[in-house]
Amino acid sequence: MRYVVAKDSREVVDLLMEDKANLLLAGGTDVLVRMRLDERYPDRIIDIKKIPGVAEITEESGGFRIGAAVSGAQMGEHSQLKALWPGVVEAVELIGSTQVQGRATMAGNLCNGSPAADSVPAMLAAQAVARVEGPEGVSDQPVLALLDAPGQTKLGKAEFITSIFLPARPNLAGDAYLRFIPRTEMDIAVASAGVSLVLDEAGIVIEASVALGAVAPTAVMVSGAAQALIGTRLEAAPLQACAAACAAACSPIDDKRGTIEFRTKVAGVMACRAAITAYQRAGGQP
Amino acid sequence: MSKIHVSTQVNGDQVEFLCEPEETLLDVLRDHLNLTGAKEGCGTGDCGACSVTIDGRLVAACLVLGAEVEGSAVETVEGIGAPDALHPLQRQILQHAALQCGICTPGIIVAAKALLAQNPDPSEQEVRYWLAGNLCRCTGYDKIIRAVLAAAGEMRGENP
Amino acid sequence: MSKQEFKILGTRPIRPDGLDKVTGKAMFGADKSATGMLHARILRSPHAHAEIISIDTSKAKALPGVKAVITGADFDDVENRWTRYTMQNCMAQGRALYDGHAIAAVAATSKKIAGAALKLIEVEYKILPHVTDVDEAMQPGAPLLHEGVKARKLGDDVSGNTVGYYSFGHGDVDAGFAKADEVIERRFKTAATHQGYIEPQACLADLGADGRGALWCTTQGHYMVRETCAEILGIDASQLRVTASEIGGGFGGKTTVFIEPVALKLSQKSGRPVKLVMSREEVFRATGPTMSASMDVKIGMGKDGKITAGHARLRYQGGAFPYNMVMMGAMSAFACYDLENVQSEGWDVMTNRPKMISYRAPGAPMAVYGVESVIDELCQKLGLDPIEVRLLNAAKEGTKSSYGPRFKAIGLVEALKAAKAHPHYSAPLPANTGRGVACGFWFNFGGQVSVSMAINTDGTVNLIEGNPDIGGSRASISMMAAEALGIPFERIRTIVGDTASVGFSDVTDGSRVTFAVGIATINAAKAAIRELCKRAAMIWEIDEDAVEWVDGTARPTGHNAGDFPPMSLAEIAATSGKTGGPIAGHHEGAPDKAGVSFGVHLVDLEVDPETGFTSIKRYTAFQDVGKAIHPAYVEGQIQGGAVQGIGWALNEEYIYGADGRLQNPGFLDYRIPVASDLPMIDAVIIEVPNPGHPYGVRGCGETAIVPPLAAVANGVAQAVGVRLFELPMSPPKILKAL
């Protein structure tokens, strides 16, 4: 194995174009675990952290661009980002321990391709957009469009993510992420939900998006659940409808972390609870 | 297959080492620099026994490649406290009997020091969540949490 | 036994090994290296049960940097069958008996080369049917682990995997059930749990062709390691010097060998020191977890709460080799109660899982979980207070125990009364919250012990003992030595000697160290005091019998009283070179009056009705420890045991797939409690002195893991109104039950 520190994105793309087994390294909290457990090493590991700007959070058009090597801890310490997208930040901050937070990145969480990735439902709900660099140049792609299957994304040959953009927010908007784990920390999500809401002056939901994690081969957007919340103040009936829509959208597996039955039920619970938090953050009083 | 030359700072000292590309910072500390205070409890970032800081940021040394610390400043438990004056965390852990076997203790000290650097007055819950990635199988955490809270108080200049 | 007054016991000094442990200097198993050292790795079976048709190591041997490769064929048979099982667990011979079973090992000049060499070893397996569930393994016709080891007293209704059967009790249980107003019988299941020590097994071995060697390892008993390894390798015990490193947790899991014979054999073959460190995955797959259990518990109770009869049938599986631990469960099941009619039976069963090894109070937590759950259900049904009922039935001094002997002075009633009077028991309970109560019991052991004490000419004392210090015992031993000699704690330095420096000592287990090493320390101090008094008599030129030892000084007594000013230990020691040479004391023995211990735990917990998530809100543990030498470390034992029990109750389990492979060999999915899962654990020390120890000490390490399983289960039953009969009570199980 060789370790290469890339100076810029072009170099990464050029290296990825070569016919070698490459792995990109940002936070390394998935890559190193996999190498260790499988005892399989790529020909080359390409460290992208030294690419200019890739470890920075920058304000852009009222939103924020999160570099691919920005750690969860950095996001948690960024008060304006946290104020704008509290749900996304709390999702990223739930990944692993404080130690893992010191390194883990939101882009890496996406690229790892886990259906249970914490940041992904929050990014979906936030309609986050990934900036992708590749042989054809730079493109912006919605995070949703990159989801593919367990362990893989739709990134093409020699493509990689350099940053993720979280857009500007209107007033009276809020988001939240919640996951269920058997302990209070240190687990992989068994079912999770990201919810983003926009309210009108009367406290009625006018825009909503609901995404679920760990209940299907990839994180999923549940438009039925979002529809159930629009036009309401999150009264009992719409919440019930939201939970039902979530359950209907689930196609989970039985495994060591949870059963189909459990995941299906709890996904709706997480979505409703996240919706209530998002609603409060948007200034609503349920 | 060639080794990588790395120049970095460990506990305030400038050090240089050669490592294999796949060797972790934990391997380097333990096998090349003879700093065995950071322990390998899992090798997968689940136990916190290898906690160190890089440029002040708390990380699991098993999830960092040795080659990545070029030009950084690494701190391990060996760099905490002076020969004639333990760090308040070290002293409070001893006074509270907040260790039994002691294998997790270096990681707890490094992690708790990083917490108190950014939050000098944490609540019990904040300490518990910050240290959730530092597994201890002996103590049930009770005395560890008390010791960290006491050290925080001491560092704020409060009387014990 | 009247309460004694102590100067040092009961205080909380800083432990002598503390500084090294907060500065990173303490040397644990994997922290030592040697010049010229090789690194070893072990190849493990990916199959739950398979015949090893062939192993081709030629490619691995040919890899540059590889210095030795071994397989089961490198180990000669040994006479003792228990040692043979241990050896075959360290390295499979003929058959792989579980996922993770060692097949071959490599020593090479680097970890990387050793790892690469493992991939070059070619093993041909013939996969055999496997069984991992205890009830299935007991069925006639189940895949058989070993031939000819079935317990003799058993018939054809159980398979040859059933290697042990035990029965304890007295009275007539049928008559007792007939007298009951209410009888409840339940079937319980508990998962296998792992000790979960944070330090993986590790050793550094150096064995020459002449059969002389040295071994550094993390273990609960280096004499056990020496004797087992010497037997397996066919060398003399005297020639293998074993040093116990600082030990990063054990909880019973380090009371046998897994890697040491392998490392020694590799060292012998290569002529180089060999370091062998397990990965966490190897720890889960190949070191002993505890048993899983399937149990039937039936208890009859009168309307007044009096238990009229109790019957428990315990089926434990202990992995791939014969073992005999269900006995402890059968003996413990009803030990908390004074019963007229009681019977407990136990079956030890083999399965295709890693060989079990002790885990804190081995065998007791699951049996007591069953019994305490049924008692709780009876209390609910009869509308009785759970502590009152336990007080009504509690064992006390003179009770004929359910396993035979009569109890001497014990502290269960005191612990129950303390629990009842504690503010926790009467605090209000919010919605979705339940309060669980349960008792627990552990025997505690004595065992063989050696202590050597040297009085230095500057008035300080060196003490060498042979039991690895797993939780602060050097502190408690130094305190007892200081108390016995009448000198300050700081003047004593206690070390854990290697096998060449002090006599044999049994393994650090059975909560025996503070008890047994304590007795040996006190007796060694007495021997030293006799010599100190003799020297004083010599200096004063009076009769030896006319000197007594008071508060750390020799004083003339009888008709010589007051003739000379008292002489301190330091003064006598200073001139020892002129009065007959060095002064020392030692003691070797096998104290056996360890004194049983009881605990009562109270837990408040909240269950989320929408997710089944259980959150521990408040926890108080009461335990009779006889005499707390260093109360802070006694509290630590109680807190640590309670939390391990909470983990067992809620989330910890070995999960096997249909292929017989372990699915969660890591801390990510083997979920031990983390700091944020817990509240403070309030430990309340009860002191009913053990008449079998000069200071009243009882073991305190193990009892605390026994009550929590049932305490948490009873709390969940209170909180949600539904009772679960299977551990762990993970959220999917609770939610399903609601």
Side-chain angles (χ1 to χ4, degrees):
Chain A
M1 186 175 101
R2 280 187 58 219
Y3 169 78
V4 182
V5 180
K7 290 181 300 296
D8 53 37
S9 319
R10 200 64 251 165
E11 186 184 354
V12 177
V13 174
D14 289 345
L15 289 168
L16 291 175
M17 287 297 284
E18 291 174 21
D19 192 20
K20 289 238 165 69
N22 291 300
L23 262 182
L24 292 194
L25 175 70
T29 50
D30 286 317
V31 170
L32 266 67
V33 172
R34 225 180 310 141
M35 288 197 307
R36 158 93 187 203
L37 291 179
D38 300 348
E39 284 196 65
R40 272 183 225 289
Y41 298 93
D43 300 326
R44 197 161 50 194
I45 194 151
I46 305 166
D47 190 342
I48 64 164
K49 285 193 289 296
K50 300 283 161 69
I51 296 172
V54 82
E56 286 163 24
I57 301 170
T58 44
E59 209 173 332
E60 184 181 312
S61 319
F64 287 98
R65 182 164 296 285
I66 318 290
V70 169
S71 69
Q74 268 176 282
M75 290 178 69
E77 287 160 13
H78 197 291
S79 52
Q80 295 146 286
L81 171 64
K82 218 171 163 171
L84 196 70
W85 287 104
V88 176
V89 175
E90 76 192 345
V92 176
E93 286 191 298
L94 283 172
I95 303 166
S97 60
T98 319
Q99 287 81 349
V100 166
Q101 280 296 304
R103 300 256 299 166
T105 67
M106 188 160 74
N109 197 223
L110 169 61
C111 293
N112 191 44
S114 166
D118 285 305
S119 68
V120 174
M123 282 194 280
L124 293 186
Q127 285 158 13
V129 176
R131 177 153 294 170
V132 177
E133 298 219 17
E136 310 300 321
V138 180
S139 65
D140 285 335
Q141 300 182 32
V143 167
L144 181 61
L146 292 173
L147 303 185
D148 189 14
Q152 62 185 66
T153 64
K154 287 199 169 126
L155 285 170
K157 162 94 177 158
E159 284 186 336
F160 80 108
I161 294 174
T162 56
S163 66
I164 291 170
F165 182 66
L166 296 171
R169 298 285 267 162
N171 288 333
L172 304 177
D175 73 326
Y177 172 79
L178 258 186
R179 65 173 185 187
F180 182 84
I181 53 171
R183 291 179 291 188
T184 52
E185 273 283 352
M186 302 304 293
D187 287 326
I188 306 288
V190 181
S192 67
V195 176
S196 176
L197 302 175
V198 180
L199 316 185
D200 68 11
E201 298 293 335
I204 294 186
V205 176
I206 51 174
E207 283 175 38
S209 48
V210 177
L212 301 178
V215 293
T218 67
V220 287
M221 291 290 278
V222 189
S223 58
Q227 285 305 319
L229 302 178
I230 291 173
T232 78
R233 288 193 180 85
L234 303 198
E235 298 83 353
L239 285 175
Q240 223 170 351
C242 170
C246 287
C250 289
S251 54
I253 54 167
D254 269 328
D255 72 358
K256 62 191 172 189
R257 293 176 185 146
T259 58
I260 292 170
E261 183 189 359
F262 182 78
R263 288 185 149 113
T264 305
K265 167 124 203 270
V266 171
V269 175
M270 293 295 112
C272 292
R273 290 179 182 180
I276 290 167
T277 303
Y279 187 79
Q280 285 163 337
R281 284 174 178 166
Q285 279 161 9
Chain B
M1 183 178 78
S2 59
K3 291 200 175 184
I4 300 164
H5 176 266
V6 177
S7 173
T8 190
Q9 208 183 73
V10 178
N11 298 329
D13 296 326
Q14 202 58 40
V15 300
E16 294 183 38
F17 57 84
L18 291 175
C19 70
E20 303 271 0
E22 61 271 31
E23 276 184 302
T24 65
L25 174 59
L26 182 60
D27 295 331
V28 167
L29 290 171
R30 293 180 55 84
D31 299 343
H32 300 329
L33 302 178
N34 284 321
L35 291 169
T36 56
K39 310 296 181 190
E40 182 173 305
C42 68
T44 51
D46 297 312
C47 80
C50 68
S51 296
V52 300
T53 59
I54 301 175
D55 301 328
R57 181 73 75 193
L58 179 66
V59 300
C62 72
L63 294 187
V64 179
L65 293 176
E68 287 184 82
V69 299
E70 171 71 35
S72 304
V74 177
E75 187 178 78
T76 71
V77 71
E78 287 94 341
I80 296 179
D84 56 345
L86 289 176
H87 187 278
L89 277 162
Q90 294 170 314
R91 195 169 50 252
Q92 292 293 351
I93 281 176
L94 290 180
Q95 274 168 3
H96 281 79
L99 73 160
Q100 283 172 35
C101 78
I103 193 91
C104 71
T105 310
I108 299 262
I109 289 169
V110 171
K113 184 171 177 249
L115 167 65
L116 300 186
Q118 70 164 58
N119 182 358
D121 191 8
S123 67
E124 181 193 329
Q125 281 312 301
E126 284 170 331
V127 176
R128 286 186 180 277
Y129 275 89
W130 183 275
L131 293 180
N134 288 85
L135 301 183
C136 169
R137 190 61 157 170
C138 292
T139 65
Y141 304 103
D142 181 300
K143 293 183 190 297
I144 293 172
I145 304 301
R146 290 180 199 275
V148 173
L149 291 169
E154 186 186 327
M155 289 165 73
R156 292 193 306 269
E158 291 167 13
N159 289 326
Chain C
M1 192 163 156
S2 61
K3 284 253 175 185
Q4 303 180 65
E5 291 298 320
F6 298 109
K7 287 199 169 70
I8 292 163
L9 308 189
T11 64
R12 300 177 179 225
I14 303 280
R15 60 194 283 164
D17 55 322
L19 183 71
D20 285 353
K21 287 188 171 159
V22 298
T23 54
K25 282 187 212 163
M27 296 285 282
F28 290 84
D31 295 341
K32 199 175 172 83
S33 295
T35 47
M37 178 179 89
L38 303 175
H39 296 271
R41 291 280 307 272
I42 294 177
L43 181 72
R44 298 188 177 278
S45 168
H47 305 298
H49 196 186
E51 193 182 332
I52 302 167
I53 307 286
S54 66
I55 307 176
D56 183 350
T57 60
S58 55
K59 285 182 191 152
K61 280 178 180 154
L63 185 69
V66 171
K67 301 295 176 187
V69 182
I70 61 169
T71 68
D74 288 273
F75 292 92
D76 295 329
D77 196 19
V78 293
E79 211 175 292
N80 180 308
R81 78 173 177 119
W82 296 101
T83 309
R84 185 185 313 126
Y85 298 144
T86 302
M87 177 177 86
Q88 290 177 342
N89 191 40
C90 292
M91 193 60 71
Q93 293 182 320
R95 265 188 307 152
L97 299 173
Y98 55 93
D99 167 37
H101 199 169
I103 302 296
V106 173
T109 50
S110 75
K111 287 188 236 179
K112 188 176 173 178
I113 295 172
L118 290 190
K119 294 186 176 173
L120 298 175
I121 297 173
E122 290 165 6
V123 187
E124 192 188 337
Y125 294 103
K126 182 187 165 205
I127 295 176
L128 302 171
H130 67 270
V131 61
T132 55
D133 177 81
V134 59
D135 291 317
E136 288 171 25
M138 273 181 90
Q139 289 293 319
L144 201 57
L145 272 290
H146 300 273
E147 300 275 355
V149 290
K150 184 172 174 175
R152 282 199 198 91
K153 352 175 179 178
L154 298 175
D156 292 338
D157 55 331
V158 295
S159 79
N161 291 322
T162 317
V163 290
Y165 172 75
Y166 304 88
S167 177
F168 299 91
H170 53 253
D172 180 342
V173 289
D174 290 332
F177 287 127
K179 275 196 284 184
D181 293 310
E182 199 68 61
V183 177
I184 290 180
E185 181 172 12
R186 295 291 183 196
R187 172 160 290 193
F188 297 91
K189 278 211 149 192
T190 65
T193 54
H194 194 275
Q195 297 82 358
Y197 36 81
I198 307 300
E199 179 201 31
Q201 271 76 2
C203 69
L204 175 60
D206 191 0
L207 180 61
D210 60 356
R212 292 192 169 87
L215 177 66
W216 160 273
C217 61
T218 173
T219 179
Q220 289 177 243
H222 43 309
Y223 294 85
M224 169 278 296
V225 172
R226 177 185 69 171
E227 283 167 22
T228 309
C229 290
E231 201 179 338
I232 290 173
L233 289 145
I235 58 175
D236 292 341
S238 62
Q239 301 306 321
L240 182 61
R241 182 177 181 176
V242 183
T243 306
S245 71
E246 292 295 335
I247 174 170
F251 316 106
K254 291 176 183 166
T255 58
T256 184
V257 298
F258 295 103
I259 55 171
E260 292 82 356
V262 175
L264 284 164
K265 180 63 82 177
L266 286 167
S267 174
Q268 196 178 35
K269 262 198 141 172
S270 63
R272 307 258 295 259
V274 170
K275 185 168 178 170
L276 180 41
V277 180
M278 275 185 155
S279 69
R280 177 55 54 185
E281 181 182 336
E282 287 180 287
V283 170
F284 277 114
R285 286 173 70 203
T287 70
T290 189
M291 297 76 71
S292 63
S294 164
M295 309 177 288
D296 296 296
V297 177
K298 183 178 179 185
I299 297 176
M301 194 179 272
K303 279 186 184 136
D304 57 352
K306 189 78 191 155
I307 298 172
T308 59
H311 189 188
R313 295 161 61 87
L314 316 172
R315 298 166 294 274
Y316 289 2
Q317 73 71 30
F321 292 91
Y323 75 103
N324 52 9
M325 205 56 92
V326 78
M327 183 174 78
M328 299 291 184
M331 290 167 78
S332 311
F334 290 102
C336 288
Y337 302 109
D338 183 353
L339 303 178
E340 251 179 69
N341 309 299
V342 59
Q343 198 194 359
S344 51
E345 298 171 272
W347 290 261
D348 284 311
V349 184
M350 297 183 295
T351 64
N352 294 107
R353 294 189 185 213
K355 181 180 192 295
M356 65 71 57
I357 192 68
S358 303
Y359 176 26
R360 205 170 199 154
M366 44 288 233
V368 170
Y369 154 66
V371 168
E372 291 292 296
S373 295
V374 174
I375 289 178
D376 196 67
E377 202 177 348
L378 284 162
C379 291
Q380 272 183 314
K381 197 148 191 187
L382 294 167
L384 299 168
D385 177 89
I387 292 189
E388 282 299 339
V389 166
R390 286 172 171 86
L391 270 170
L392 181 69
N393 294 287
K396 46 189 95 56
E397 186 167 1
T399 294
K400 181 178 164 59
S401 68
S402 59
Y403 59 94
R406 282 192 190 279
F407 289 130
K408 303 238 169 17
I410 54 172
L412 177 58
V413 168
E414 287 77 358
L416 282 163
K417 284 183 174 164
K420 185 139 199 275
H422 196 278
H424 182 169
Y425 196 59
S426 47
L429 273 175
N432 297 327
T433 307
R435 176 166 297 147
V437 182
C439 296
F441 158 89
W442 186 244
F443 307 90
N444 300 325
F445 294 144
Q448 301 182 75
V449 62
S450 304
V451 162
S452 174
M453 180 187 278
I455 313 290
N456 302 319
T457 51
D458 64 351
T460 62
V461 174
N462 281 107
L463 191 152
I464 311 177
E465 47 106 355
N467 275 104
D469 175 354
I470 204 160
S473 58
R474 274 165 294 191
S476 64
I477 290 160
S478 294
M479 289 172 78
M480 286 185 280
E483 187 78 42
L485 291 167
I487 64 171
F489 168 77
E490 292 73 20
R491 293 216 186 129
I492 317 261
R493 175 151 194 194
T494 297
I495 65 156
V496 179
D498 62 55
T499 54
S501 60
V502 67
F504 182 87
S505 297
D506 273 328
V507 173
T508 293
D509 68 0
S511 302
R512 60 177 288 271
V513 173
T514 302
F515 169 77
V517 182
I519 286 183
T521 297
I522 295 161
N523 286 334
K526 281 184 184 161
I529 287 168
R530 274 195 298 278
E531 188 62 25
L532 286 160
C533 289
K534 192 173 132 191
R535 301 300 175 89
M538 202 183 289
I539 292 164
W540 291 329
E541 297 180 338
I542 62 174
D543 209 30
E544 222 177 291
D545 297 341
V547 181
E548 62 173 358
W549 191 259
V550 181
D551 288 342
T553 58
R555 294 176 192 204
T557 184
H559 66 273
N560 297 108
D563 287 358
F564 307 98
M567 276 185 90
S568 71
L569 179 144
E571 287 168 317
I572 300 168
T575 61
S576 60
K578 293 176 197 147
T579 58
I583 299 171
H586 65 99
H587 182 82
E588 294 77 32
D592 61 356
K593 297 181 174 64
V596 300
S597 159
F598 296 87
V600 179
H601 290 201
L602 292 182
V603 59
D604 290 359
L605 52 83
E606 183 180 354
V607 179
D608 181 338
E610 290 187 308
T611 65
F613 183 86
T614 300
S615 159
I616 306 292
K617 295 295 183 192
R618 185 173 184 180
Y619 204 100
T620 312
F622 306 80
Q623 189 174 315
D624 171 25
V625 302
K627 170 69 195 168
I629 301 296
H630 191 307
Y633 285 102
V634 170
E635 289 161 5
Q637 288 296 322
I638 296 171
Q639 292 162 336
V643 167
Q644 286 183 322
I646 291 169
W648 199 333
L650 291 179
N651 279 309
E652 292 182 35
E653 60 179 319
Y654 262 51
I655 303 170
Y656 280 92
D659 58 359
R661 299 193 65 185
L662 182 63
Q663 296 192 339
N664 57 337
F667 279 135
L668 183 61
D669 287 303
Y670 183 88
R671 301 184 184 91
I672 76 172
V674 302
S676 49
D677 292 341
L678 299 159
M680 293 298 184
I681 307 292
D682 196 359
V684 180
I685 292 172
I686 312 284
E687 293 184 321
V688 176
N690 169 19
H693 187 281
Y695 298 150
V697 169
R698 297 175 198 275
C700 71
E702 288 166 291
T703 305
I705 201 175
V706 182
L709 284 61
V712 173
N714 295 342
V716 168
Q718 296 281 348
V720 301
V722 181
R723 189 170 287 272
L724 276 71
F725 301 98
E726 197 177 316
L727 299 185
M729 295 177 289
S730 52
K733 284 188 207 153
I734 291 183
L735 194 63
K736 199 180 165 90
L738 290 179

